[in-house]
Each structure stands twice: as structure tokens, then as C-alpha cells.
Amino acid sequence: MKIKLASLLLISGLCQPAWAQKVLPKDVPAAEMQKVYEEVKTPHKYGLVLVTDDNQKKMDCPTVFRKNGQWWMTYIIFDGRGYETWLAQSKDLLKWETKGKILAFTDTTDWDTNQKAGYVALQDAKWGGSYEWQPYQGKYWLSYFGGNSRGYEKGLLSISLASTYKDPTTLPTWQRLAKPVLRPDDKDVRWWENHTIYKSSVTWDRAKLTGHPFVMYYNANGDSLNAKRGAERIGMAVSDDMTHWTRYLRNPVLNHHTGITGDAYLQKMDSGLWVMFYFGAFYPGVKGAVNRFACSYDLTHWTDWTGANLVEPSEPYDELFAHKSFVLKYKGVVYHYYCAVNKADQRGIAVATSKDLGKSAVAFIAPPVKKPKEAKK
């Protein structure tokens, strides 16, 4: 019986898949972490770039991409009923104009009728690259978390995907999968995600470091030492076709044990080092909600940055929270978009930059008037 040479090589270990050919370091040296910080830091706050016209609406979670020579931003709006996903446009990354909704409420019995918080999937992950929204199988993809309960992140929230063959900047109708791909009540759910699943971020890893081309990072709430508050942590799932997803590890890849560790977004440096931008809140060493980063060679083992925050509360418009980042580099300037929250709980999108570009004229509308407390009789 003849055995093909390729099979012999594979059995002997001389011929391995590309992702298994090299054992990558698990830890990133402190000197490399410092280099990343120096590259991505944005000490100059330009200010707010998008705000709502109604104090009942809360704006959150920016994702910026480039298409047709323009810059575009997806973001989500909470209006009391739930989340919807919106689109804005810019020519210069500083002045933004809202164009319309991407994912809207549906008055049906669908599992996601009242919650559709969407995020760009498969964007060019190269640091300082094109930032194009890349199609797969001729379609553009969104990952989103949804649910059918009304209110702020109420009820059972799960992750699914939507796609379109059309230019996503034309506000087409998105075709949503019939059901979630990850639920907090799945049979194989992990301990750290068995309460609620939140934001997802899908990266196209053409090197297949995990053995799969598509890698999803998502944050979820699960079992915790503090059962009342719980904790959010970031974990992984993988896919070969964008529609069927498998949890990749038993434990989260980034975990501060208390508070929130969430909203991962990845970019890849020229050195091959992956950078995960994320936000942290309510755990020791972090005041309020701030943006930080971690680094990895293999997409699985992450080294957390222990130095200064990338963005933190410092201005009247972000004095409560400065979190949920999207960071890009264009023509030598780093732009760090984030959700800015003031003490009146007004939420908008702000940006900090590596170069002083002046100050924004955009501001929140007048805050809601607090009703005076009635005197006790």
C-alpha cells in the first residue's frame, strides 16, 4: 500500500499547517509593550465629534472604516427601548455627519427585535493600513449582540451576524442569521459568560494562528466572586465560514477578576505583534472607565499593559467615563475615538490625537434638568 509523500511528511512532523510551523512566545517583553505605547498614545484631546439631539438617547461604541475615499463610523444608540446601529460620514476624521440607521428595531417576534448593537467585522487590521471593510464571499459582515427585551441591556443578550452584498455605506437591508451563534445558555457555555454576552469584534487572521481564519473576541458576564455585581471578561471564538462559531478556550484571554474588561478591538503592527485595545472599569488600579491595551504574538496569550491609560477622564465632557476605543493611524497621526460620558450621563463620541489638531466646537446639548426633591412631610 502506497502512502503519499505529503502524508508521510505530515505524520513525521516535517510538513505542518502554516499556523503550526512556528511556536510563538506567550509573553511580550516590557520593552516591546513600551514601544507600542509610544506608537499609539494620543495626549491631545480634540473633543466631541458626535452627540445626540435628545437627552433620552445615549451614543456609544465607535468603529471607523474607510470606503470610496471617505471615512465612515458605525456607532450604537440607546433610546430607552434598546440599541440600534447607526452610520456617520467624514472627510477629515474630525467633522462627522450622521447618515442613517444600519440595524433598526423590528416589531416582530424575532429573538433580536429590541436590541441590535452592531460592529464592523473583518476590517483591514493592519496598523496604519487601509482600514477598509473587507468582504468575504462577496458579502460585508457585521457582528452584533441582540435580544428581545426592552431596556438597557436587559434580558437574554446573544451574539449573531448579519451580511449584505451591497455597499454598506448605502444603508442597505442587512440579512441577519436566523438565530444567535453564541448564547449565554448554550450547552458548552463557559463559566465566565453564562449570564450575559455583550460586544463582539471579528478579525480575519489570514495566517490562521488559531487554525481558523476568523477570530471573535467578545466580553461577557458570568460567575464571579461578587455575585451581585459580577464581572465582565474577554474571551474567544473561532470560525471557518463566518456563520458557525466555536468557543476556543475554557477561560477568558483577558480578566481582571472584578469590574469590567471589555470591547476588544484588534490591530496588527508591522512587527507581527497584535494589539488589543479595550476598556477597563471598576477594578483595582482603575478609576472610572478608561481605555487600555494588551499585546499578543499568537492571538491567544495576551500581555496586559501596566503603564499609563491611553485615554481617561479629564474634561467636562468625559469626566465620568472615557472608554470603548477605536484607534487608527492615518498620515502619521493617531486618532483615538471613544465614548465620552459626563456627570449628567450624556454620552457622545470624542477623539484624542497624537498631534494637536485644535479643539472641537461640538458640545452636548443642555443636560436634563433634575427635578427638585419633595420635602418630607
Side-chain angles (χ1 to χ4, degrees), residues 50 61-76 85-97 99-103 118-126 128-135 139-143 164 166-172 174 202 265-267 325-330 335 337 349:
L50 273 177
C61 297
T63 302
V64 178
F65 66 96
R66 189 163 178 81
K67 189 166 182 61
N68 303 326
Q70 300 286 313
W71 291 100
W72 305 84
M73 179 194 296
T74 65
Y75 58 93
I76 61 177
T85 308
W86 289 70
L87 181 72
Q89 181 183 14
S90 176
K91 294 180 179 179
D92 62 2
L93 290 168
L94 297 177
K95 298 179 179 63
W96 291 88
E97 178 184 0
K99 307 304 291 185
K101 294 180 185 178
I102 294 179
L103 295 178
Y119 313 96
V120 173
L122 308 184
Q123 185 176 22
D124 177 14
K126 181 181 179 181
S130 70
Y131 295 99
E132 292 277 349
W133 193 340
Q134 302 174 115
K139 295 185 286 187
Y140 296 93
W141 296 79
L142 282 168
S143 65
T164 180
K166 297 182 179 180
D167 182 340
T169 66
T170 62
L171 303 177
W174 288 79
V202 179
Y265 164 69
L266 271 64
Q267 288 198 43
S325 59
F326 184 93
V327 189
L328 66 88
K329 186 176 184 179
Y330 181 65
Y335 297 79
Y337 295 89
I349 306 302

Side-chain angles (χ1 to χ4, degrees), residues 55 137 169 199 239 365:
N55 280 316
Q137 293 185 336
T169 66
K199 180 180 177 179
S239 175
I365 61 175

